Amino acid sequence: NAGVTQTPKFRILKIGQSMTLQCTQDMNHNYMYWYRQDPGMGLKLIYYSVGAGITDKGEVPNGYNVSRSTTEDFPLRLELAAPSQTSVYFCASSPEGGPTEAFFGQGTRLTVV
Amino acid sequence: TQLLEQSPQFLSIQEGENLTVYCNSSSVFSSLQWYRQEPGEGPVLLVTVVTGGEVKKLKRLTFQFGDARKDSSLHITAAQPGDTGLYLCAVSYSGAGSYQLTFGKGTKLSVIP
């Protein structure tokens, strides 16, 4: 099983550029999440989705957008990249919310210069 | 605002030693998970605890969930270099947003051969 697949693994953006981080899962999970991880700061929730067509903001949504047109895919869009968005981004999925296991992708390391 | 704190932030020990790391919340949580993250990878679930006072064992790892459901500890016996990694606790709270996981900042463990 592929699990949760994120692309790209690394990316360098210039300030003001835009990009989409791709995330796809093959486990038919309803719940999907985007987190960012800064050094020494743990993981912070950006956006989440409880099913196709349903998305909601997490703790740090500013500067990001998401869509969930299918169960499998949950892309994260960065508009007008800023240095503060330099981070490692993780996508995760779970069959349900709350105390069910979250399966994480390998992450995308993004640098904005 | 719920606060989730992990301690210590960093821990460096010799192979064979025992250690305990802690996770404390400012609010009662409905469930708690421990994840381990290795460099360049996403977090991987170790255990989920849902009952106050619950103790779970996973080989040399012992997880305890506080009676008051506000804290947890992870004890490793006879640490090995393969235990090196970032240990993250994640909690879900009851009520609105119960399907979200809130992560602590983690304890970075280094086990020296």
Side-chain angles (χ1 to χ4, degrees), chain A residues 24-37:
Chain A
T24 188
Q25 53 95 5
D26 62 358
M27 297 172 283
N28 202 33
H29 287 169
N30 287 323
Y31 289 74
M32 295 189 74
Y33 311 86
W34 274 106
Y35 291 90
R36 59 176 289 173
Q37 185 175 35

PDB file of all heavy atoms in Angstrom, chain A residues 24-37:
ATOM      1  N   THR A  24      -2.190  12.710  -1.741  1.00  0.00           N
ATOM      2  CA  THR A  24      -3.169  11.703  -2.125  1.00  0.00           C
ATOM      3  C   THR A  24      -3.036  10.484  -1.215  1.00  0.00           C
ATOM      4  O   THR A  24      -1.939  10.133  -0.799  1.00  0.00           O
ATOM      5  CB  THR A  24      -3.013  11.303  -3.607  1.00  0.00           C
ATOM      6  OG1 THR A  24      -4.090  10.464  -3.986  1.00  0.00           O
ATOM      7  CG2 THR A  24      -1.688  10.609  -3.862  1.00  0.00           C
ATOM      8  N   GLN A  25      -4.179   9.869  -0.885  1.00  0.00           N
ATOM      9  CA  GLN A  25      -4.164   8.671  -0.043  1.00  0.00           C
ATOM     10  C   GLN A  25      -5.026   7.599  -0.699  1.00  0.00           C
ATOM     11  O   GLN A  25      -6.041   7.897  -1.326  1.00  0.00           O
ATOM     12  CB  GLN A  25      -4.634   8.993   1.389  1.00  0.00           C
ATOM     13  CG  GLN A  25      -5.958   9.703   1.505  1.00  0.00           C
ATOM     14  CD  GLN A  25      -7.167   8.821   1.727  1.00  0.00           C
ATOM     15  OE1 GLN A  25      -7.040   7.599   1.893  1.00  0.00           O
ATOM     16  NE2 GLN A  25      -8.348   9.414   1.724  1.00  0.00           N
ATOM     17  N   ASP A  26      -4.587   6.351  -0.503  1.00  0.00           N
ATOM     18  CA  ASP A  26      -5.268   5.236  -1.155  1.00  0.00           C
ATOM     19  C   ASP A  26      -5.943   4.315  -0.149  1.00  0.00           C
ATOM     20  O   ASP A  26      -6.165   3.132  -0.416  1.00  0.00           O
ATOM     21  CB  ASP A  26      -4.298   4.457  -2.040  1.00  0.00           C
ATOM     22  CG  ASP A  26      -3.151   3.821  -1.256  1.00  0.00           C
ATOM     23  OD1 ASP A  26      -3.090   4.010  -0.019  1.00  0.00           O
ATOM     24  OD2 ASP A  26      -2.319   3.143  -1.887  1.00  0.00           O
ATOM     25  N   MET A  27      -6.247   4.853   1.054  1.00  0.00           N
ATOM     26  CA  MET A  27      -6.837   4.045   2.112  1.00  0.00           C
ATOM     27  C   MET A  27      -8.329   4.315   2.284  1.00  0.00           C
ATOM     28  O   MET A  27      -8.938   3.819   3.236  1.00  0.00           O
ATOM     29  CB  MET A  27      -6.087   4.324   3.426  1.00  0.00           C
ATOM     30  CG  MET A  27      -4.623   3.903   3.355  1.00  0.00           C
ATOM     31  SD  MET A  27      -3.658   4.410   4.788  1.00  0.00           S
ATOM     32  CE  MET A  27      -3.422   6.144   4.423  1.00  0.00           C
ATOM     33  N   ASN A  28      -8.898   5.142   1.414  1.00  0.00           N
ATOM     34  CA  ASN A  28     -10.319   5.480   1.472  1.00  0.00           C
ATOM     35  C   ASN A  28     -10.700   6.148   2.800  1.00  0.00           C
ATOM     36  O   ASN A  28     -11.805   5.937   3.306  1.00  0.00           O
ATOM     37  CB  ASN A  28     -11.187   4.239   1.232  1.00  0.00           C
ATOM     38  CG  ASN A  28     -12.583   4.615   0.771  1.00  0.00           C
ATOM     39  OD1 ASN A  28     -12.780   5.604   0.069  1.00  0.00           O
ATOM     40  ND2 ASN A  28     -13.568   3.824   1.189  1.00  0.00           N
ATOM     41  N   HIS A  29      -9.762   6.929   3.342  1.00  0.00           N
ATOM     42  CA  HIS A  29     -10.030   7.631   4.589  1.00  0.00           C
ATOM     43  C   HIS A  29     -10.875   8.869   4.344  1.00  0.00           C
ATOM     44  O   HIS A  29     -10.655   9.610   3.386  1.00  0.00           O
ATOM     45  CB  HIS A  29      -8.718   8.044   5.253  1.00  0.00           C
ATOM     46  CG  HIS A  29      -7.982   6.891   5.857  1.00  0.00           C
ATOM     47  ND1 HIS A  29      -6.678   7.009   6.304  1.00  0.00           N
ATOM     48  CD2 HIS A  29      -8.346   5.621   6.101  1.00  0.00           C
ATOM     49  CE1 HIS A  29      -6.294   5.848   6.799  1.00  0.00           C
ATOM     50  NE2 HIS A  29      -7.292   4.997   6.683  1.00  0.00           N
ATOM     51  N   ASN A  30     -11.815   9.115   5.270  1.00  0.00           N
ATOM     52  CA  ASN A  30     -12.643  10.306   5.143  1.00  0.00           C
ATOM     53  C   ASN A  30     -11.904  11.572   5.592  1.00  0.00           C
ATOM     54  O   ASN A  30     -12.068  12.627   5.023  1.00  0.00           O
ATOM     55  CB  ASN A  30     -13.919  10.167   5.967  1.00  0.00           C
ATOM     56  CG  ASN A  30     -14.898   9.200   5.322  1.00  0.00           C
ATOM     57  OD1 ASN A  30     -15.018   9.149   4.099  1.00  0.00           O
ATOM     58  ND2 ASN A  30     -15.587   8.434   6.137  1.00  0.00           N
ATOM     59  N   TYR A  31     -11.107  11.450   6.646  1.00  0.00           N
ATOM     60  CA  TYR A  31     -10.473  12.623   7.244  1.00  0.00           C
ATOM     61  C   TYR A  31      -9.085  12.834   6.658  1.00  0.00           C
ATOM     62  O   TYR A  31      -8.298  11.899   6.558  1.00  0.00           O
ATOM     63  CB  TYR A  31     -10.367  12.460   8.754  1.00  0.00           C
ATOM     64  CG  TYR A  31     -11.683  12.546   9.488  1.00  0.00           C
ATOM     65  CD1 TYR A  31     -12.598  11.502   9.444  1.00  0.00           C
ATOM     66  CD2 TYR A  31     -12.005  13.691  10.216  1.00  0.00           C
ATOM     67  CE1 TYR A  31     -13.809  11.594  10.101  1.00  0.00           C
ATOM     68  CE2 TYR A  31     -13.214  13.782  10.885  1.00  0.00           C
ATOM     69  CZ  TYR A  31     -14.106  12.729  10.817  1.00  0.00           C
ATOM     70  OH  TYR A  31     -15.304  12.822  11.482  1.00  0.00           O
ATOM     71  N   MET A  32      -8.815  14.062   6.299  1.00  0.00           N
ATOM     72  CA  MET A  32      -7.473  14.425   5.831  1.00  0.00           C
ATOM     73  C   MET A  32      -7.070  15.757   6.463  1.00  0.00           C
ATOM     74  O   MET A  32      -7.920  16.588   6.779  1.00  0.00           O
ATOM     75  CB  MET A  32      -7.411  14.503   4.305  1.00  0.00           C
ATOM     76  CG  MET A  32      -7.646  13.147   3.636  1.00  0.00           C
ATOM     77  SD  MET A  32      -7.334  13.153   1.862  1.00  0.00           S
ATOM     78  CE  MET A  32      -5.531  13.192   1.814  1.00  0.00           C
ATOM     79  N   TYR A  33      -5.759  15.911   6.648  1.00  0.00           N
ATOM     80  CA  TYR A  33      -5.236  17.058   7.386  1.00  0.00           C
ATOM     81  C   TYR A  33      -3.985  17.590   6.711  1.00  0.00           C
ATOM     82  O   TYR A  33      -3.226  16.823   6.115  1.00  0.00           O
ATOM     83  CB  TYR A  33      -4.839  16.641   8.810  1.00  0.00           C
ATOM     84  CG  TYR A  33      -5.875  15.835   9.570  1.00  0.00           C
ATOM     85  CD1 TYR A  33      -5.946  14.452   9.426  1.00  0.00           C
ATOM     86  CD2 TYR A  33      -6.763  16.455  10.441  1.00  0.00           C
ATOM     87  CE1 TYR A  33      -6.875  13.712  10.127  1.00  0.00           C
ATOM     88  CE2 TYR A  33      -7.695  15.712  11.152  1.00  0.00           C
ATOM     89  CZ  TYR A  33      -7.740  14.331  10.987  1.00  0.00           C
ATOM     90  OH  TYR A  33      -8.674  13.599  11.693  1.00  0.00           O
ATOM     91  N   TRP A  34      -3.748  18.876   6.886  1.00  0.00           N
ATOM     92  CA  TRP A  34      -2.467  19.473   6.541  1.00  0.00           C
ATOM     93  C   TRP A  34      -1.882  20.107   7.801  1.00  0.00           C
ATOM     94  O   TRP A  34      -2.546  20.907   8.478  1.00  0.00           O
ATOM     95  CB  TRP A  34      -2.608  20.548   5.466  1.00  0.00           C
ATOM     96  CG  TRP A  34      -2.569  20.004   4.074  1.00  0.00           C
ATOM     97  CD1 TRP A  34      -3.601  19.851   3.206  1.00  0.00           C
ATOM     98  CD2 TRP A  34      -1.413  19.562   3.374  1.00  0.00           C
ATOM     99  NE1 TRP A  34      -3.165  19.329   2.024  1.00  0.00           N
ATOM    100  CE2 TRP A  34      -1.814  19.137   2.096  1.00  0.00           C
ATOM    101  CE3 TRP A  34      -0.054  19.476   3.702  1.00  0.00           C
ATOM    102  CZ2 TRP A  34      -0.932  18.636   1.141  1.00  0.00           C
ATOM    103  CZ3 TRP A  34       0.832  18.984   2.752  1.00  0.00           C
ATOM    104  CH2 TRP A  34       0.389  18.571   1.480  1.00  0.00           C
ATOM    105  N   TYR A  35      -0.625  19.734   8.091  1.00  0.00           N
ATOM    106  CA  TYR A  35       0.112  20.311   9.205  1.00  0.00           C
ATOM    107  C   TYR A  35       1.384  20.964   8.671  1.00  0.00           C
ATOM    108  O   TYR A  35       1.928  20.564   7.650  1.00  0.00           O
ATOM    109  CB  TYR A  35       0.535  19.244  10.206  1.00  0.00           C
ATOM    110  CG  TYR A  35      -0.573  18.615  11.001  1.00  0.00           C
ATOM    111  CD1 TYR A  35      -1.221  17.472  10.543  1.00  0.00           C
ATOM    112  CD2 TYR A  35      -0.950  19.142  12.231  1.00  0.00           C
ATOM    113  CE1 TYR A  35      -2.231  16.883  11.288  1.00  0.00           C
ATOM    114  CE2 TYR A  35      -1.958  18.556  12.982  1.00  0.00           C
ATOM    115  CZ  TYR A  35      -2.592  17.431  12.499  1.00  0.00           C
ATOM    116  OH  TYR A  35      -3.589  16.852  13.243  1.00  0.00           O
ATOM    117  N   ARG A  36       1.876  21.936   9.432  1.00  0.00           N
ATOM    118  CA  ARG A  36       3.216  22.436   9.188  1.00  0.00           C
ATOM    119  C   ARG A  36       4.039  22.202  10.450  1.00  0.00           C
ATOM    120  O   ARG A  36       3.514  22.257  11.575  1.00  0.00           O
ATOM    121  CB  ARG A  36       3.225  23.910   8.794  1.00  0.00           C
ATOM    122  CG  ARG A  36       2.624  24.871   9.773  1.00  0.00           C
ATOM    123  CD  ARG A  36       2.791  26.312   9.298  1.00  0.00           C
ATOM    124  NE  ARG A  36       4.167  26.776   9.387  1.00  0.00           N
ATOM    125  CZ  ARG A  36       4.600  27.934   8.915  1.00  0.00           C
ATOM    126  NH1 ARG A  36       3.759  28.744   8.274  1.00  0.00           N
ATOM    127  NH2 ARG A  36       5.859  28.298   9.055  1.00  0.00           N
ATOM    128  N   GLN A  37       5.317  21.924  10.255  1.00  0.00           N
ATOM    129  CA  GLN A  37       6.209  21.655  11.374  1.00  0.00           C
ATOM    130  C   GLN A  37       7.421  22.561  11.266  1.00  0.00           C
ATOM    131  O   GLN A  37       8.220  22.424  10.346  1.00  0.00           O
ATOM    132  CB  GLN A  37       6.640  20.182  11.387  1.00  0.00           C
ATOM    133  CG  GLN A  37       7.467  19.804  12.598  1.00  0.00           C
ATOM    134  CD  GLN A  37       7.777  18.314  12.635  1.00  0.00           C
ATOM    135  OE1 GLN A  37       7.970  17.673  11.615  1.00  0.00           O
ATOM    136  NE2 GLN A  37       7.797  17.743  13.839  1.00  0.00           N
TER     137      GLN A  37
END
